[in-house]
Amino acid sequence: MFPRMTIVRTNITAKSSFSDSRVFEITTCSMDFKLRDRFEENEEAAFSADSIMFEYLDGGWRERGKGEVKVNVSSNGDKARLVTRAKGNYRLILNASLYPEMKLASMDKKGITFACVNSEGRDSLSTFELKFKDPRIVFRVAVDKHKGSKPIETAPTSKTPENSPTATDA
């Protein structure tokens, strides 16, 4: 869960103009963040790209953040979700499950809009836009493939029995 820390010690010899040599020990530290450790252990990224995310609020588009958007698919393949994390601090911006009726629409030349429920915000349906640097990004293909194109099961239509009351009888 925590990042792995690597500490490297290096000896450097520096010569000065006074003909004496000095040895300095330099310690460097690097952190290796594994995003799979952030609640994505049992998922695989079917798609990943850098983007800018906007949300439609109060009659206008507001920027939510810049970062990596991923289409994560669970290891057993039955669930998929959109995850966007901000660059730098990996703050979760978007965490939304894909659903079969999800519609993607092109906006401008590099943008795609969609409606979903973001677990990192309001509990209601919101409209989001993702803008990519490269308009040839195949985000739409990845979402359509994994949004669960299974038809929604509906209850079978039941026939009204002949002896049931009608609206005119009541």
Side-chain angles (χ1 to χ4, degrees), residues 9-82:
R9 289 202 170 111
T10 307
N11 290 330
I12 296 177
T13 304
K15 292 190 176 189
S16 67
S17 60
F18 297 109
S19 72
D20 62 335
S21 297
R22 296 184 182 183
V23 176
F24 298 96
E25 182 177 283
I26 298 175
T27 304
T28 59
C29 177
S30 66
M31 306 275 287
D32 183 19
F33 282 98
K34 298 275 187 184
L35 286 182
R36 290 192 157 277
D37 295 340
R38 295 181 168 229
F39 306 105
E40 298 178 21
E41 304 89 15
N42 299 324
E43 296 177 334
E44 297 209 14
F47 172 84
S48 176
D50 287 335
S51 68
I52 303 172
M53 193 174 95
F54 297 89
E55 184 175 7
Y56 191 77
L57 291 171
D58 303 325
W61 291 100
R62 302 211 179 166
E63 185 176 328
R64 292 283 310 239
K66 297 176 183 179
E68 182 182 25
V69 62
K70 295 194 287 186
V71 177
N72 281 354
V73 180
S74 63
S75 56
N76 57 7
D78 64 343
K79 293 180 185 177
R81 66 185 178 129
L82 288 174

Side-chain angles (χ1 to χ4, degrees), residues 87 122 124 149 159:
K87 276 191 174 181
R122 291 182 277 298
S124 61
S149 57
K159 295 186 178 180

